[in-house]
Amino acid sequence: MIQFHDFGIDVQTYAERGKENDFPLLKKCPHCRAKRPLHRHGYYERNALTPHGDYRIWIVRYRCRECLKTVSVLPSFLLPYFQYTLSAIWQVVKEQLGLTEETNQTPFLPTKDGIIFYVRRFCRNLSSLHSFFARRWRIIGPIVKKEKERASWWIRTLEEHGLYSVIRDMWEDGFRHPFANQMGS
């Protein structure tokens, strides 16, 4: 299982601190709900790609002493199973939809095929975003046939509600994230 945590630092600082980051203490198991602090169970490495560079970072793992299941704590600037940071993905999706000016393409941004992949994933998940927001905040998205208009509306709405916190809440509620395959509860 994965839990998001806002470390309050950028990816470069997180990478520099390595295993010395201020990792949270998990006081309750998200699997079995045992109210006993989880045991730090080690680390694993993963990539974090930004428009400015690529980083190899440590992800902390915990293990419940009751059910023996593990929990990984993912920094909120990352998405599960994606190497590019959330901000890098968000930037290129907005550019592709014409919501921001295109930045200089750097070697660390996704390729054109990668950008199309992220945009398609986001657009495929618009109805699930609609369901999540309707359930959580009673916000109903626009009913327009043009996918680009709907996607643009949802991008603005996600930003207004705080992109990182919305994605964390979605994940915790079983909706995964807007770039996941088959998002939904």
Side-chain angles (χ1 to χ4, degrees), residues 82 89 92-94 96-97 112-127 129 147-148 150-151 155 177-183:
F82 286 79
I89 294 169
V92 296
V93 168
K94 286 176 66 173
Q96 184 69 23
L97 293 171
K112 190 72 171 169
D113 288 342
I115 294 168
I116 291 168
F117 168 82
Y118 292 127
V119 171
R120 284 184 182 154
R121 276 281 180 91
F122 183 75
C123 290
R124 237 183 266 152
N125 286 320
L126 293 178
S127 59
L129 275 173
E147 194 172 67
K148 184 177 177 180
R150 287 178 60 221
I155 284 173
H177 59 79
F179 300 99
N181 193 19
Q182 298 179 351
M183 185 177 106

Side-chain angles (χ1 to χ4, degrees), residues 1 8 18-19 34 40 48-49 55 57 69 81 87 90 109 124 130 132 140 145 159-160 177 184:
M1 177 178 277
K19 293 180 182 178
R40 193 174 295 180
L49 306 177
Y55 302 92
I57 63 171
K69 292 186 178 177
Y81 316 113
S87 61
W90 198 248
L109 283 178
R124 237 183 266 152
H130 178 95
F132 174 76
I140 308 285
K145 292 189 181 200
E159 288 177 341
E160 288 168 7
H177 59 79

Side-chain angles (χ1 to χ4, degrees), residues 52-78:
H52 311 292
D54 60 335
Y55 302 92
R56 197 80 178 137
I57 63 171
W58 291 102
I59 305 298
V60 67
R61 293 183 66 182
Y62 294 89
R63 187 170 185 191
C64 176
R65 296 171 199 250
E66 302 295 324
C67 70
L68 305 179
K69 292 186 178 177
T70 61
V71 179
S72 297
V73 176
L74 201 63
S76 58
F77 53 76
L78 292 174

Side-chain angles (χ1 to χ4, degrees), residues 4-122:
F4 287 102
H5 180 72
D6 183 2
F7 286 85
I9 55 178
D10 63 9
V11 65
Q12 182 177 356
T13 305
Y14 183 95
E16 288 168 358
R17 290 182 183 173
K19 293 180 182 178
E20 301 302 316
N21 274 296
D22 188 17
F23 296 108
L25 174 63
L26 301 184
K27 296 180 181 180
K28 184 170 104 174
C29 178
H31 296 285
C32 70
R33 303 288 184 213
K35 293 182 180 177
R36 184 175 176 192
L38 277 69
H39 170 71
R40 193 174 295 180
H41 188 58
Y43 303 87
Y44 65 89
E45 282 188 288
R46 65 165 283 180
N47 294 322
L49 306 177
T50 72
H52 311 292
D54 60 335
Y55 302 92
R56 197 80 178 137
I57 63 171
W58 291 102
I59 305 298
V60 67
R61 293 183 66 182
Y62 294 89
R63 187 170 185 191
C64 176
R65 296 171 199 250
E66 302 295 324
C67 70
L68 305 179
K69 292 186 178 177
T70 61
V71 179
S72 297
V73 176
L74 201 63
S76 58
F77 53 76
L78 292 174
L79 292 172
Y81 316 113
F82 286 79
Q83 292 190 56
Y84 285 98
T85 60
L86 175 56
S87 61
I89 294 169
W90 198 248
Q91 173 188 331
V92 296
V93 168
K94 286 176 66 173
E95 288 173 6
Q96 184 69 23
L97 293 171
L99 300 175
T100 60
E101 288 186 30
E102 202 168 316
T103 59
N104 290 336
Q105 189 75 298
T106 67
F108 298 109
L109 283 178
T111 63
K112 190 72 171 169
D113 288 342
I115 294 168
I116 291 168
F117 168 82
Y118 292 127
V119 171
R120 284 184 182 154
R121 276 281 180 91
F122 183 75

Side-chain angles (χ1 to χ4, degrees), residues 151-164:
S152 298
W153 190 90
W154 280 111
I155 284 173
R156 286 190 302 275
T157 302
L158 282 162
E159 288 177 341
E160 288 168 7
H161 282 80
L163 177 63
Y164 295 100

